[in-house]
Amino acid sequence: EVALACHISPDADALGSMLAVGMALRAEGKRVTASFGERRFRVPRLLRFLPGQELLVEPGAYPAAPELMMTFDVPVADRLGTLAVNAGKARELVVVDHHASNTGFGTLNLVDPKAAATAVLAEELLVRLGLPIGTRVATCLYAGLVTDTGSFRHSSTTPQAHTMAARLLATGLNPEEIARELWDRSPFGYLRVLGAALDRAVLEPSTGPGLVWTFVTRDDRAAQGLPYDEVEGIIDVIRRTDEADMAVILKEDDDGAWQVSTRSKGAVDVARVCAALGGGGHARAAGFTSHLPVEQTMEGLRALL
C-alpha cells in the first residue's frame, strides 16, 4: 500500500498532485490511500470537480505507520496536520514539493524550488516511473499548474510550464471547464463577504514598500453561510492596489485562529516574513497562522517589514 498525503486546507496544486499520482499508481495495481490531516475533513467546494477523490479517506482511517508514505506540496511536517504523526512512523517518507522553505523532513526529498508547481514534479515522477498520464490524471496536474502560476501570470511561469500545459492539453482535458470551476463560480454570499472585506480594507503607503490589508471574521462568513475555503480568492482582489507592493488578508477559521495570507509584487520576500512568524511559502506568496487579535498580528508583521 502507498499512503499519500497533502497539506491541510489543500489547494489545487496539493490535492491535484496527490490525486494524479494516486490514480496513476492505482491504475498499475497498487493499493492507494490518500488524505489530509484535518479534523473537519472536507474537500474545498471549488476542488470537488477534481477526479480521483474516491481515493480519499478520513484521517482516522489512514495507515498508522505506512510502509511507504508520500507527501505533496508540504514544506514542513506540521503542515500535514494530524497526519504528521503518521509521517513520523513511516518506514519510507517521500516528500514531493517545490517550496524553497522545505525542511527536507523526508527519507527521500524530491524538492525543486525552481519548479512552477508541485504538479511539475508529480508529472516528472510519473514519467520516470513509466506510468501513463490520461485525461483524468492530466486534469489534476493541469489544475495544480494553472493555479500556482496564476494562469501563467506569476514569475514562476517558465517555457517548461507552457510546454507541460501543452502536453496535458493533448490528453483531451477541458481547460474551459477547469477554469470555470476554479475561478468563475461562487455562491452569492461570497459577494457579501467580499464587500465587507473591501469596505474595511486599509492602505498604509508609509509601511515599507506599501501595504494594503483587510480581514474576514467567522461572523462575516456565518451571516452568509459561507465555509472558510470560499474566501480564499479575496487576496487576489486587494493585491491589485497600485500603491502597495504587499497585500495581506487575515481570515478567521472555524476554530477562531487567524489564517494570514500574504502576496508581494517583488519588493518584499513574504516567505521570509511569514517564516519569522511560524509560517512559510514562496517569495511572492506565503502565509502563517496567528492566535493573536487582528491588530496585534498586524503589529508583528509591520515590525518585520
Side-chain angles (χ1 to χ4, degrees), residues 55-156:
L55 299 173
L56 295 175
V57 300
E58 296 271 350
Y62 199 82
E67 182 177 354
L68 172 60
M69 181 171 174
M70 301 178 68
T71 70
F72 296 86
D73 208 41
V74 181
V76 294
D78 285 350
R79 289 285 288 157
L80 287 166
T82 60
L83 294 183
V85 175
N86 308 65
K89 297 178 180 178
R91 180 182 301 178
E92 201 77 54
L93 181 62
V94 180
V95 172
V96 184
D97 186 33
H98 73 131
H99 290 91
S101 57
N102 191 286
T103 59
F105 61 93
T107 56
L108 179 62
N109 299 291
L110 305 180
V111 178
D112 181 5
K114 295 180 181 179
T118 293
V120 173
L121 303 176
E123 186 210 29
E124 178 72 10
L125 178 62
L126 295 180
V127 169
R128 294 195 185 198
L129 290 173
L131 301 179
I133 298 177
T135 304
R136 283 163 54 84
V137 171
T139 295
C140 288
L141 294 174
Y142 185 81
L145 180 65
V146 295
T147 52
D148 261 36
T149 58
S151 299
F152 306 105
R153 291 176 293 135
H154 296 341
S155 60
S156 58

